Amino acid sequence: MKFKALAIDIDGTITYSDRRLHFLAAEHLRDLGIPVVLATGNVLCYAAATSKLIGLGGKVISENGGVISTGFDTKPHISESMEECEKAFSYLSSRFDLIRLDGDLRKTEIALRRNVNADDLQTSLEGAGFSIEVIDTQFALHIKSKKVNKGTGLEKMASLTGLDVSDFIAIGDSVNDREMLELAGYGIAVANADPGLKLIADTVTSTSFGEGTVEALEILRRKSFF
Ligand SMILES: O=C(O)COP(=O)(O)O
Ligand SMILES: [Mg+2]
């Protein structure tokens, strides 16, 4: 089997646990020979800068699928989910001590510091009738639309680049990578991944963080997957 592209998470997957970029993983990604899409819960400029600094082509899924860009000089595709997230944030703000991240940079979802419990926020929102989800990636909390995720982002990226989601291999570490791994033709979770992600992955590496990605790419090469 041959795959045509790789979609890979940033934080916790091509980094060390403290978020420093894992240089060897970055180098292997740069030399992969197939397009590499960076898929992150972080903002577009973070994803684009990471892609540029690694030496990739600027294809990114950011804000957990809310903002997609197919290159450095192209107009991003932005989902319309901020209004509901703002309402949910405003409701939660009067009940919890929330610290909002990335100020004006976010276009489709709201990120928070992890000083509060995601389940508590979710329960509060459900009690008030909001159809909004709160996820904890281990790096930040995200108040986001249930209709937008890295899987829908992958679908959009695939259609914009003339590929099918099954043409992609996906690698990730967290709850926000679930839909992307489910949709991709082949999914790998690194050893530090969320237990739920490991359950749905086709392969789980024995090593963690960026080292896990280096291992994953070796496994894929051995299988002649690209
Ligand atoms: O922004 C986050 O919370 C985590 O980012 P990631 O999706 O690159 O791991
Ligand atoms: Mg991650």
Side-chain angles (χ1 to χ4, degrees):
M1 201 179 336
K2 289 280 180 199
F3 294 94
K4 296 180 181 164
L6 171 73
I8 186 161
D9 170 56
I10 298 181
D11 295 309
T13 303
I14 62 168
T15 66
Y16 291 93
S17 59
D18 63 3
R19 253 175 151 164
R20 275 177 302 127
L21 183 66
H22 192 285
F23 289 147
L24 191 59
E27 230 168 75
H28 283 234
L29 288 175
R30 192 194 56 216
D31 299 336
L32 205 59
I34 55 171
V36 176
V37 175
L38 295 180
T40 181
N42 220 310
V43 291
L44 175 63
C45 57
Y46 177 89
T50 306
S51 182
K52 177 66 94 178
L53 290 168
I54 291 176
L56 302 174
K59 288 185 175 55
V60 298
I61 296 166
S62 59
E63 295 194 25
N64 288 310
V67 182
I68 316 291
S69 181
T70 57
F72 295 115
D73 303 318
T74 54
K75 197 167 180 276
H77 295 257
I78 300 175
S79 73
E80 289 166 27
S81 41
M82 196 53 145
E83 206 179 310
E84 268 307 291
C85 293
E86 287 286 6
K87 282 185 197 155
F89 174 74
S90 170
Y91 177 81
L92 292 171
S93 289
S94 56
R95 291 161 178 82
F96 297 87
D97 180 21
L98 304 184
I99 303 166
R100 193 169 173 160
L101 304 175
D102 307 320
D104 297 337
L105 295 175
R106 288 190 174 267
K107 308 290 179 216
T108 63
E109 55 142 63
I110 290 169
L112 307 171
R113 231 179 252 307
R114 299 177 67 235
N115 61 312
V116 283
N117 182 280
D119 292 338
D120 292 345
L121 300 187
Q122 184 76 68
T123 305
S124 178
L125 286 179
E126 276 164 17
F130 282 95
S131 182
I132 283 281
E133 70 180 343
V134 182
I135 59 168
D136 182 354
T137 67
Q138 304 298 311
F139 290 96
L141 304 183
H142 298 259
I143 299 175
K144 61 182 283 299
S145 164
K146 290 181 177 172
K147 297 188 197 125
V148 178
N149 53 61
K150 290 189 192 179
T152 63
L154 187 66
E155 281 173 333
K156 185 79 184 166
M157 179 61 75
S159 79
L160 289 169
T161 53
L163 295 173
D164 193 88
V165 284
S166 62
D167 292 327
F168 282 81
I169 295 161
I171 307 178
D173 77 316
S174 187
V175 289
N176 65 336
D177 297 310
R178 186 186 177 97
E179 294 87 352
M180 178 172 78
L181 258 71
E182 280 172 340
L183 280 174
Y186 197 83
I188 301 186
V190 284
N192 53 297
D194 171 74
L197 193 74
K198 289 181 177 176
L199 280 181
I200 59 112
D202 295 299
T203 295
V204 179
T205 63
S206 60
T207 50
S208 294
F209 299 101
E211 200 185 342
T213 284
V214 173
E215 181 189 338
L217 298 180
E218 273 161 15
I219 292 168
L220 294 168
R221 218 178 270 289
R222 233 179 293 131
K223 288 179 182 285
S224 298
F225 273 0
F226 51 81

